[in-house]
Amino acid sequence: MGNETAVKFELNQSTWTGSADSNQNALDFLRGLNLKSIKSGCRVGDCGVCTILLEGQPVRSCMLKVKDLEGKSVLTLEGLNQDGKMHPLQESFMETGAIQCGFCTPAQILTAKAFLDKNPNPTEEEVRSSLKGVLCRCTGYVRIVEGVMRAAARMQGKKLDDFGPLYLDLPEKFADIHIPEPYLRKDGREYPLPPLVYTPPSMSKTDVVNQTPKKVDAQKLVTGKPAFTDDFRPEGMLFGAILTSNVAHAHIRSINIEKAKALAGVRAVLTYQDVPRVKYTSGGQSYPQPLPYDQVSLDHKVRHVGDRVAVVAADTQEIADKALQLIEVDYEMLEAVVDPREAIKDGAPIIHDEEDTEGIYDAKHNIVYHIEAQNGDPDKVFAEADHVVAGEFHTPKQQHAQLEPHICITYFDPDDRLVVLSSTQVPYHVRRIISPLVGIPIKNIRVIKPRIGGGFGGKQEILLEDLCALLTIKTGRPVRLEYSRRQEFTSGRTRHQHYIQYKVAVQDEIVTAVELKLLADTGAYGTHGLTTSMVGGFKGLTLYNAFDSRFICDVLYTNTPTAGAYRGYGTMQELFALEVLMEEIAEKLGVDVVEFKRKNWLKLGEPMHMAKKLGEGREGFDQSMASSGLSQCVDIGLKATRYYEKRKEYKNQSGTIRKGIGMSIALHGSGIAGLDMAAATMKMNDDGSFNLLIGATDIGTGSDTILAQIAAEELGVTVDDIIVYSSDTDFTPFDKGAYASSTTYISGGAVKKTAAAIKKQIQEQAALMLKWDDPEKLTLKDSRVVSPEGKSVTLQEVALSSLHQLNQHQIMATESHRSYVSPPPTAAQFAEVAVDTETGEIKVERLLMVVDCGRVINPITAAGQVEGGMAQALGFAHCEETYIDEKGQILNPRFETYHTYLANEMPPTDVIFVQTDEPSGPFGAKSIAEISIDGVAPALVNALHNASGVWLHDLPLTPEKVWKALHPEKRHEGKQ
């Protein structure tokens, strides 16, 4: 590279000597030494996931050069577990469930090590402060902090408590509910609490399900072994780079790539002139995907800042990036429109004026979808009601902010089949969608999903795979393509911005009619615009389920980054507006808000009136609720927060700082009724263990572990006896992917069916061995098959017999599962705040979610999902917004300016489960991941009102907005 010099430093307690480019980025250099634990998340020093220890201090390797390492000591996660023995931090992280996606885990552990070396007996506040430089988007930091605290105790030789959930019986009467003292948080301490699990005495007992075995992939993640897409690099790999538009709306008059092609080391440059014009939509959804197919791989028109223009492959990343600068694009500039309220007006710029896109509802007014659904006669009911209350609300474009950027590697295998290694939530959809784009039959495409460093819906999208494959086809060589962090903001996906209007009729304290009007901003392309809006309409009209209901929605194109799938999927925006409005209605009526909601929320067995009219992209199926712990969730939350006591206390506050408490309720769903399907395959090995092959994608949710628990429960073995292999379209059976809160419920249903089929075969083989006439009466427990008389054989003996002796055959099975119902989990969310009335700043003092997700398969991983969901929702409600100017430029496209909650900023975040037994779910389970994000925003707004008396309908709750609401007489002066 021109700067090769001798380098010598201590690396993981051994001396490293060699020659290297002294100005090479240290992150790339160290990863090139096969130290894959060091991750790349932003490359500008914002996220901290590239942290190493330099001379014992945590530093961001992306901000160092190789010359900065000279003569110094470097420690990476690979050097932490010497002689095969794990460090106490690694052990503790596995035990406490601190690992979700695992992408930030190496940096968290190294940072914690440096801290504990200096402060071996820290407080929780000190731990949180030490971790503030390493972002985590999955966990909410609760289990990470607990992992560090537990490691500190372990390193001091203290006796360790059994860490895990606290199980309590659920009494029938509210007065008999016992809340353990720590969960009342009377002293305000910010210690992590394990989840509480309340169980009705009538629920059957389980052995593996409802327990907390370590995650099946925890050890490889906690030791930093190669697991993620970028950890695997084929020989001869080229590096790709995407040229994206720096303007929001323009035709490409001409594009000159000659200088880029002439650059030494460039192997391919592709523009719209070089690839077929095949129309598609990038949202990874089931076939047939909803129209319109309004995208092509590369187009002659750009519709937002960050839109695709050209793609390059070169020998190095530096050469590829330099080639982008040599591409000359002549744009015919077009007027941009960034506000959906302006985009719908006559004369607004037409964003999709192409003639080859079918299915746009009204291109001239930028309306991609128009949705109307009605039940009963709401106009008649509104006219007759005692009270009609309306409200308008706004929610922002939130970024997924997953720490692993979108990344893809493509190559041809020895049989000339295209292999796509991708950080995707939907491997089977990727294969189907890119096939026509790259001109390769599905049978000749293999998609492999390695570990995913966070997804949250943003990786339910085909964003890189087609371009990466086209470069491989052009060059015949492996190609790696990755979004920069800036491109994550400009070219990835966001949450849909919503403008919401609710109108609610009330008669004798009963909600009798609800109208929901929605204006949804899908950005430059339609992708998930139809389905998120229909889900939002369905859930937003079902929580209180008035018979007379109406949904009217327009989904608008704008010249802004495309919106896509995001955890909560339309529901969280609508429930925010609805739950705030219900609190306002209760206040106007002078009634208790909790009892007002209790009178009106969806009840067991009650038909969901909009379920059929508002399916997901198509007609749905009739639904009703077969299990619900909502009333108990609310009652437990009221007691745990001392809600009524505090509301009474806060009525007579004085001073600058005012406290408030708010609550909300929520429901979600478990998969898409009648559409989602998953399959599982199992086979029995010689030693009585089992291979479980699943297409379900673990994106940090712990699904590999919970699916193993389901199989182990059915077969009477431990999780250690289940070897899980996930998401390879050549070897694992079909699964629609990780979305719609469906993995536990749908994929889990497939695993349970498959394990049951395996169990039957084992019983039949054991009956031959035991000479027993009735196989069904044989019991599988503790890796043995036992007859009613007490005779038994081990599973290993059964396996050997079936493979080598009696009736020789392979014990194996494949089963598929789908459901025509989508049982809703339910929850009560509580938020406590302190508001500074002089500055408008809100300090969130506590979040508590009490959740009914059926039987909780693994309370620790489930609690992690709830804690992480609340953290994302808190950002959505309080501080996260994508700022876009009138020219379509994003003003805060990096973590430094797009603020997500840090470890030292998170409030105490507690989780309580109320178990119910869902008859359609595997061992009674429903979903958990998405409902965790649905309730924070309204609870926060309601707490703000309780503290200050003001209502805010516009998220996020920035200090400026709060201050203006508190001081309307000064609203034109700006914040003081």
Side-chain angles (χ1 to χ4, degrees):
M1 303 287 286
N3 277 316
E4 291 282 333
T5 58
V7 179
K8 182 178 180 181
F9 63 98
E10 183 183 288
L11 177 61
N12 292 333
Q13 303 175 43
S14 297
T15 301
W16 190 94
T17 58
S19 60
D21 178 357
S22 62
N23 287 316
Q24 185 184 8
N25 186 281
L27 166 62
D28 297 327
F29 170 71
L30 292 170
R31 280 186 61 83
L33 298 180
N34 207 34
L35 299 171
K36 302 301 186 184
S37 72
I38 311 168
K39 305 305 179 189
S40 175
C42 70
R43 305 189 73 89
V44 291
D46 291 344
C47 71
V49 299
C50 67
T51 294
I52 59 172
L53 297 189
L54 185 68
E55 297 288 282
Q57 298 300 312
V59 297
R60 292 162 170 79
S61 60
C62 73
M63 304 303 289
L64 299 175
K65 304 293 187 185
V66 171
K67 61 187 176 185
D68 298 321
L69 309 180
E70 175 66 36
K72 297 179 180 175
S73 68
V74 173
L75 184 72
T76 72
L77 192 63
E78 287 87 350
L80 203 57
N81 49 315
Q82 296 293 319
D83 302 320
K85 185 178 179 182
M86 284 194 290
H87 189 277
L89 276 161
Q90 294 168 310
E91 293 182 271
S92 298
F93 268 51
M94 289 200 298
E95 290 171 353
T96 62
I99 311 159
Q100 287 193 31
C101 83
F103 199 73
C104 71
T105 298
Q108 299 280 1
I109 290 176
L110 289 174
T111 301
K113 180 191 183 301
F115 168 69
L116 292 180
D117 286 346
K118 291 182 177 179
N119 186 352
N121 189 27
T123 65
E124 184 194 348
E125 184 179 2
E126 290 169 335
V127 171
R128 288 185 176 276
S129 181
S130 75
L131 295 173
K132 65 184 178 182
V134 183
L135 299 183
C136 178
R137 191 59 161 170
C138 294
T139 66
Y141 303 101
V142 179
R143 304 297 141 209
I144 293 173
V145 171
E146 177 62 23
V148 177
M149 300 286 284
R150 187 172 179 83
R154 179 176 259 128
M155 292 165 72
Q156 294 179 71
K158 294 181 179 178
K159 185 178 182 298
L160 298 177
D161 296 331
D162 289 334
F163 183 84
L166 181 59
Y167 297 92
L168 297 174
D169 287 337
L170 180 66
E172 292 185 6
K173 296 180 181 178
F174 172 73
D176 296 333
I177 294 173
H178 169 63
I179 308 292
E181 189 71 17
Y183 295 83
L184 298 174
R185 290 200 178 271
K186 288 184 177 179
D187 55 8
R189 287 179 59 198
E190 295 188 4
Y191 42 79
L193 294 172
L196 270 179
V197 182
Y198 285 95
T199 307
S202 60
M203 281 188 75
S204 60
K205 305 299 181 185
T206 51
D207 296 317
V208 184
V209 161
N210 207 216
Q211 302 304 310
T212 58
K214 294 175 185 174
K215 292 178 72 170
V216 297
D217 51 5
Q219 186 164 334
K220 73 179 177 186
L221 294 172
V222 85
T223 54
K225 292 183 179 177
F228 299 87
T229 300
D230 201 33
D231 297 341
F232 307 97
R233 295 192 173 186
E235 187 176 350
M237 187 183 77
L238 300 174
F239 292 81
I242 305 174
L243 179 67
T244 58
S245 170
N246 60 359
V247 298
H249 199 194
H251 288 295
I252 297 175
R253 284 199 191 97
S254 65
I255 183 165
N256 188 333
I257 61 175
E258 295 308 313
K259 292 179 182 178
K261 288 171 66 176
L263 183 65
V266 170
R267 305 300 172 183
V269 182
L270 301 177
T271 72
Y272 73 90
Q273 297 167 325
D274 306 298
V275 301
R277 186 175 176 84
V278 180
K279 302 307 294 285
Y280 76 107
T281 181
S282 58
Q285 303 186 75
S286 292
Y287 175 85
Q289 294 161 279
L291 293 173
Y293 295 172
D294 55 4
Q295 297 168 261
V296 293
S297 289
L298 291 167
D299 206 349
H300 52 73
K301 183 180 182 181
V302 295
R303 297 175 176 86
H304 68 96
V305 173
D307 210 349
R308 299 168 162 193
V309 176
V311 64
V312 171
D315 292 344
T316 68
Q317 192 66 60
E318 291 77 12
I319 295 172
D321 292 340
K322 186 175 181 180
L324 296 185
Q325 300 172 20
L326 299 176
I327 297 173
E328 299 170 349
V329 185
D330 180 20
Y331 289 113
E332 177 192 344
M333 300 298 295
L334 302 171
E335 185 183 354
V337 58
V338 299
D339 187 330
R341 297 168 298 180
E342 298 298 319
I344 200 171
K345 291 181 178 178
D346 290 340
I350 301 173
I351 296 170
H352 280 271
D353 54 355
E354 69 271 18
E355 296 180 354
D356 58 350
T357 298
E358 297 180 5
I360 298 176
Y361 177 77
D362 182 356
K364 290 183 179 179
H365 292 92
N366 295 306
I367 305 172
V368 56
Y369 299 110
H370 178 77
I371 310 163
E372 290 194 24
Q374 181 171 312
N375 196 70
D377 188 351
D379 288 331
K380 181 175 183 295
V381 177
F382 282 127
E384 297 172 350
D386 287 339
H387 304 277
V388 176
V389 182
E392 296 185 4
F393 302 81
H394 170 252
T395 64
K397 278 182 174 281
Q398 184 185 22
Q399 296 287 331
H400 295 81
Q402 81 289 339
L403 292 176
E404 179 199 35
H406 286 79
I407 184 166
C408 178
I409 296 172
T410 55
Y411 58 92
F412 286 113
D413 70 10
D415 296 314
D416 291 327
R417 296 176 71 243
L418 178 69
V419 180
V420 181
L421 193 70
S422 180
S423 180
T424 177
Q425 297 174 221
V426 287
Y428 276 91
H429 295 336
V430 167
R431 183 176 66 166
R432 171 175 47 82
I433 290 169
I434 71 168
S435 172
L437 303 182
V438 302
I440 295 178
I442 285 176
K443 65 183 179 182
N444 288 334
I445 300 175
R446 176 186 178 190
V447 179
I448 304 171
K449 176 222 61 102
R451 188 70 187 168
I452 296 179
F456 317 119
K459 292 178 179 175
Q460 192 196 333
E461 202 89 15
I462 287 70
L463 296 182
L464 298 177
E465 293 88 349
D466 59 325
L467 292 180
C468 199
L470 287 166
L471 288 171
T472 286
I473 292 166
K474 178 70 173 179
T475 63
R477 291 173 59 180
V479 176
R480 170 192 180 273
L481 193 58
E482 180 184 32
Y483 271 160
S484 68
R485 181 53 61 180
R486 181 182 179 86
Q487 286 174 328
E488 287 291 338
F489 281 85
T490 61
S491 309
R493 298 294 180 255
T494 72
R495 190 182 297 284
H496 290 79
Q497 177 182 211
H498 278 183
Y499 292 89
I500 303 162
Q501 295 180 9
Y502 262 109
K503 185 164 68 171
V504 177
V506 180
Q507 188 83 30
D508 300 324
E509 298 181 20
I510 299 297
V511 173
T512 53
V514 180
E515 178 182 82
L516 169 57
K517 292 183 177 179
L518 172 62
L519 194 66
D521 179 3
T522 189
Y525 298 100
T527 180
H528 289 267
L530 176 66
T531 45
T532 55
S533 300
M534 292 182 78
V535 170
F538 171 40
K539 300 298 196 308
L541 292 171
T542 298
L543 182 57
Y544 295 104
N545 204 42
F547 179 84
D548 297 278
S549 300
R550 179 188 294 131
F551 180 56
I552 302 173
C553 173
D554 285 313
V555 182
L556 271 294
Y557 287 126
T558 58
N559 293 119
T560 63
T562 307
Y566 199 147
R567 187 182 198 174
Y569 208 73
T571 299
M572 72 174 301
Q573 295 100 310
E574 275 53 73
L575 293 191
F576 150 64
L578 178 61
E579 281 297 277
V580 171
L581 191 59
M582 286 293 285
E583 182 114 4
E584 293 184 35
I585 293 170
E587 185 176 271
K588 289 178 180 178
L589 296 179
V591 299
D592 179 85
V593 65
V594 176
E595 295 312 310
F596 176 57
K597 291 180 177 183
R598 197 188 303 267
K599 281 183 180 181
N600 286 286
W601 69 49
L602 180 71
K603 304 298 192 299
L604 280 175
E606 184 180 329
M608 301 179 189
H609 303 305
M610 300 298 279
K612 194 167 185 178
K613 295 177 172 66
L614 290 172
E616 196 154 330
R618 62 198 76 190
E619 185 178 69
F621 297 86
D622 290 328
Q623 304 279 308
S624 63
M625 192 158 61
S627 63
S628 175
L630 181 54
S631 188
Q632 294 91 337
C633 289
V634 169
D635 289 343
I636 289 168
L638 293 173
K639 274 201 168 185
T641 59
R642 292 168 289 135
Y643 175 87
Y644 283 114
E645 176 185 330
K646 290 175 180 175
R647 282 233 153 172
K648 183 177 180 181
E649 176 187 342
Y650 297 156
K651 281 184 177 179
N652 301 308
Q653 294 183 82
S654 60
T656 300
I657 306 298
R658 306 288 175 88
K659 293 198 171 189
I661 184 169
M663 66 86 66
S664 66
I665 62 168
L667 59 72
H668 209 88
S670 302
I672 306 171
L675 180 62
D676 282 349
M677 190 276 280
T681 295
M682 290 189 75
K683 73 179 183 71
M684 191 177 191
N685 298 315
D686 304 50
D687 61 353
S689 65
F690 301 88
N691 292 103
L692 172 60
L693 306 178
I694 48 176
T697 53
D698 191 331
I699 57 175
T701 56
S703 64
D704 286 354
T705 304
I706 61 177
L707 295 178
Q709 286 182 256
I710 290 170
E713 180 72 38
E714 187 72 19
L715 293 168
V717 299
T718 68
V719 167
D720 288 340
D721 292 317
I722 309 293
I723 301 99
V724 181
Y725 188 73
S726 167
S727 307
D728 180 330
T729 58
D730 266 13
F731 297 109
T732 59
F734 178 84
D735 190 291
K736 80 314 159 241
Y739 61 86
S741 283
S742 59
T743 303
T744 298
Y745 182 71
I746 297 293
S747 305
V751 169
K752 189 174 187 300
K753 281 183 180 178
T754 304
I758 293 283
K759 177 180 179 180
K760 182 179 179 182
Q761 294 176 48
I762 291 171
Q763 290 170 318
E764 290 169 350
Q765 186 71 23
L768 292 175
M769 299 167 67
L770 295 169
K771 298 180 181 178
W772 184 261
D773 292 336
D774 190 351
E776 291 185 1
K777 291 190 176 177
L778 298 178
T779 303
L780 275 65
K781 191 172 180 64
D782 298 328
S783 297
R784 303 185 73 88
V785 187
V786 185
S787 75
E789 294 179 341
K791 294 181 180 180
S792 69
V793 290
T794 66
L795 289 185
Q796 181 176 12
E797 290 168 337
V798 171
L800 290 169
S801 174
S802 67
L803 291 169
H804 303 286
Q805 296 170 320
L806 293 175
N807 187 27
Q808 285 176 265
H809 69 290
Q810 171 71 66
I811 293 177
M812 66 183 302
T814 298
E815 295 289 341
S816 301
H817 182 68
R818 70 170 176 165
S819 174
Y820 286 94
V821 296
S822 176
T826 59
Q829 177 73 59
F830 295 82
E832 299 185 50
V833 302
V835 182
D836 187 326
T837 57
E838 290 187 354
T839 66
E841 292 183 13
I842 298 173
K843 180 183 179 183
V844 182
E845 296 192 324
R846 186 189 187 187
L847 294 177
L848 166 67
M849 194 171 213
V850 193
V851 191
D852 146 40
C853 59
R855 190 190 295 271
V856 190
I857 301 296
N858 186 317
I860 290 295
T861 61
Q865 287 298 290
V866 178
E867 291 152 1
M870 283 195 282
Q872 281 185 325
L874 184 54
F876 169 79
H878 194 194
C879 57
E880 292 185 41
E881 183 161 15
T882 307
Y883 294 103
I884 302 175
D885 68 16
E886 68 279 359
K887 294 183 179 180
Q889 298 288 341
I890 294 181
L891 304 179
N892 56 334
R894 57 181 290 185
F895 285 133
E896 182 184 49
T897 49
Y898 182 87
H899 186 78
T900 65
Y901 260 76
L902 308 179
N904 64 322
E905 296 170 333
M906 279 298 297
T909 307
D910 302 325
V911 182
I912 299 175
F913 293 109
V914 174
Q915 295 203 105
T916 57
D917 199 352
E918 169 54 43
S920 66
F923 295 106
K926 296 186 282 191
S927 73
I928 185 62
E930 287 193 273
I931 194 170
S932 63
I933 209 167
D934 287 342
V936 171
L940 194 66
V941 171
N942 293 339
L944 169 63
H945 176 71
N946 179 232
S948 66
V950 301
W951 293 111
L952 262 71
H953 290 186
D954 183 14
L955 297 180
L957 302 178
T958 61
E960 182 179 12
K961 291 177 187 175
V962 176
W963 185 87
K964 286 181 176 179
L966 287 167
H967 304 280
E969 75 284 358
K970 300 179 181 179
R971 64 182 180 272
H972 298 301
E973 299 177 17
K975 187 179 154 189
Q976 300 297 303

